[in-house]
């Protein structure tokens, strides 16, 4: 066949060639809308998630044309923007042939504490009573308000002890925005001596002396890992600058709400602790990564960071507040750093560790919110504030987030050697008609322990011999009216939803575990084999800890499985 007879193989000539590049074409109107939202902000790659929030907040979803316009404006490929937008649960990506979601979204928390309080029935009632064309009802992971379960989020308004009647009243009054609680402002904090310690240290302080003070207090990382806090400073400081500090405010472990408790009441104690740590390692910038489920905290921090800038305590832009987008995995420090850089929150392989190679490849000090809260307290009042407290052979204090079948759920500051008997007593005792059966010592990652083990000191390095750990001290109390088996399934469903999908043992293992746990009788040998594979081969703590609820339920509640 002659070349000119092979029609359709090559096209040439007037009117026969492609007029546009392959892929989605840039829509001029969408480009103008995106540029109007971005204004004169720098088009830096690490701000991609912040720009996605701008579009989501303004239009209620992320259309394909807006994503294409954002990619054009940031000089990124559409694939890069799309993969980030679809990774995070709080972004609604809408393709050309899809209808956008309703203007109003209700997210009903399905964490263990909320499930015990009737979240499933609440969601069913809302789905039955509301028009799905006007209101979208979704299940969502823990919102850090377990003390007021069941909880839901209506727009950005959290409704505590939620009922369909409360939701209807909020919709009728158009109450969709975060409610800002009363808190200690910059002015009131300074009147009580706030930031005097920071000013003194900046003028004539020795960072090594401060580091030794923090070490002598016994303060350990309170995000869950429990690493001695002061030691990190020397690791980071020992690497050439520029250096950064990253605050892990992604308090996503179900049952944990201690960080929110402090930030909604005394944000400047935390902020001063952060600035002391930043001074100690000579950080160039402080990044605060705060979960999107805390809209009131985000607004408080915006206001008070501006107050610090206006007062000259920090230069403008020195504190960079970043907003998460609904991804539990970003509580893992390297996944958080990836998210700060505007990427998907995928945990990094280590080494190198973030103290050497962190944000933008530079040495980075990572601390939890509560840890920095205590740094300020220690530097101001001395190490004895922690080291001077002793109980059951343990030293220090812990903020316990207590929820479940107790009369007065909340955050309780107790000696680190306190037992579950002490914690339940502090929380007002068990609910009337309920008998203590089991508890989570540190969120789903810690699994379940029986009431017969209520006399163990709740502290670091104590629970490991029992196959669990204290973690973030998220205590959920179960009673004789609850099923340990159902609780374990709730935990694995959470891990299944929140697995980042990067490694097969975690991604497939969580899914397989949920299916096996739904059987009438658990195939325990197969589940144990699956647990071993997940614990040994997963990249990060999510997959490594996900087997704990399975193993501990089989061990302590064999009659249920």
């Amino acid at each position: 066949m002659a070349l000119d007879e092979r029609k359709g193989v090559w096209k040439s000539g007037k009117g026969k060639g492609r007029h546009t590049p392959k892929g989605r074409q840039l829509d001029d109107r969408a480009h103008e809308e995106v540029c109007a939202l971005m204004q004169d902000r720098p088009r830096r790659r690490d701000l991609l998630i912040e720009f996605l929030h701008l579009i989501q907040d303004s239009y209620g979803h992320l259309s394909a044309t807006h994503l294409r316009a954002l990619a054009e404006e940031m000089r990124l490929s559409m694939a890069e923007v799309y993969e980030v937008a679809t990774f995070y649960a709080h972004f609604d990506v809408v393709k050309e042939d899809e209808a956008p979601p309703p203007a109003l979204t209700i997210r009903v928390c399905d964490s263990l504490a909320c499930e015990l309080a009737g979240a499933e029935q609440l969601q069913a009632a809302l789905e039955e009573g509301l028009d799905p064309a006007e209101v979208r009802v979704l299940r969502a992971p823990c919102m850090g308000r377990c003390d007021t379960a069941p909880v839901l989020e209506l727009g950005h308004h959290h409704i505590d002890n939620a009922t369909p009647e409360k939701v209807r009243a909020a919709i009728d009054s158009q109450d969709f925005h975060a409610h800002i609680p009363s808190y200690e402002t910059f002015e009131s904090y300074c009147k009580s001596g706030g930031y005097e310690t920071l000013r003194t240290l900046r003028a004539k302080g020795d960072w090594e002396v401060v580091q030794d003070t923090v070490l002598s207090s016994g303060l350990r990382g309170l995000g869950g890992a429990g690493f001695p806090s002061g030691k990190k400073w020397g690791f980071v400081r020992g690497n050439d600058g520029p250096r950064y500090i990253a605050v892990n405010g992604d308090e996503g472990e179900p049952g944990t709400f201690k960080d929110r408790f402090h930030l909604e009441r005394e944000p400047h104690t935390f902020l001063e602790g952060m600035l002391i740590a930043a001074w100690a390692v000579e950080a160039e910038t402080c990044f605060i990564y705060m979960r999107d489920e805390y809209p009131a905290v985000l607004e408080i921090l915006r206001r008070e960071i501006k107050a610090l800038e206006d007062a000259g305590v920090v230069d403008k832009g020195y504190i960079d507040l970043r907003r998460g987008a609904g991804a539990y995995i970003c509580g893992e420090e390297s996944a958080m750093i990836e998210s700060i850089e505007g990427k998907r929150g995928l945990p990094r392989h280590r080494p190198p560790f973030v103290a050497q190679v962190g944000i933008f490849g530079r040495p980075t000090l990572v601390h939890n919110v509560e840890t920095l809260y205590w740094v300020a307290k220690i530097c101001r009042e001395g190490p004895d504030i922690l080291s001077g407290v002793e109980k059951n052979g343990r030293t220090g204090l812990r903020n316990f987030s207590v929820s479940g079948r107790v009369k007065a759920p909340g955050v309780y500051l107790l000696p680190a050697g306190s037992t579950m008997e002490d914690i339940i007593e502090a929380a007002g005792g068990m609910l009337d008609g309920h008998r203590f059966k089991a508890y989570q010592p540190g969120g789903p990652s810690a699994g379940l322990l029986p009431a017969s083990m209520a006399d163990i000191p709740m502290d670091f390095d104590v629970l490991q011999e029992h196959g669990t750990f204290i973690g973030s001290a998220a205590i959920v109390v179960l009673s004789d009216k609850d099923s340990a088996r159902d609780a374990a399934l709730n935990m694995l469903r959470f891990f299944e939803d929140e697995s980042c999908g990067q490694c097969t043992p975690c991604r497939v293992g969580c899914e397989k575990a949920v299916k096996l746990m739904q059987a009438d009788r658990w195939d325990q040998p197969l589940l144990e084999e699956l647990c071993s594979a997940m614990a040994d081969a997963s990249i990060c703590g999510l997959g490594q800890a996900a087997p704990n609820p399975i193993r501990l339920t089989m061990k302590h509640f064999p009659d249920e499985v």
Side-chain angles (χ1 to χ4, degrees), residues 227-244:
F227 189 81
S229 298
K231 282 188 176 181
K232 286 185 176 183
W233 298 8
F235 293 158
V236 175
R237 180 97 181 209
N239 292 291
D240 294 336
R243 309 179 193 93
Y244 300 107

Side-chain angles (χ1 to χ4, degrees), residues 62-111:
L62 302 174
S63 68
T65 55
H66 281 143
L67 290 179
R68 173 67 183 86
L70 182 60
E72 177 75 16
E73 190 63 19
M74 296 192 69
R75 299 296 187 264
L76 295 173
S77 69
M78 182 67 177
E80 287 179 275
V81 175
Y82 184 81
E83 72 175 7
V84 172
T86 53
F87 181 84
Y88 296 94
H90 290 187
F91 294 138
D92 295 303
V93 177
V94 177
K95 298 179 182 179
E96 289 89 347
D97 56 346
E98 295 177 343
L104 189 57
T105 296
I106 296 176
R107 288 183 166 89
V108 182
C109 179
D110 68 352
S111 70

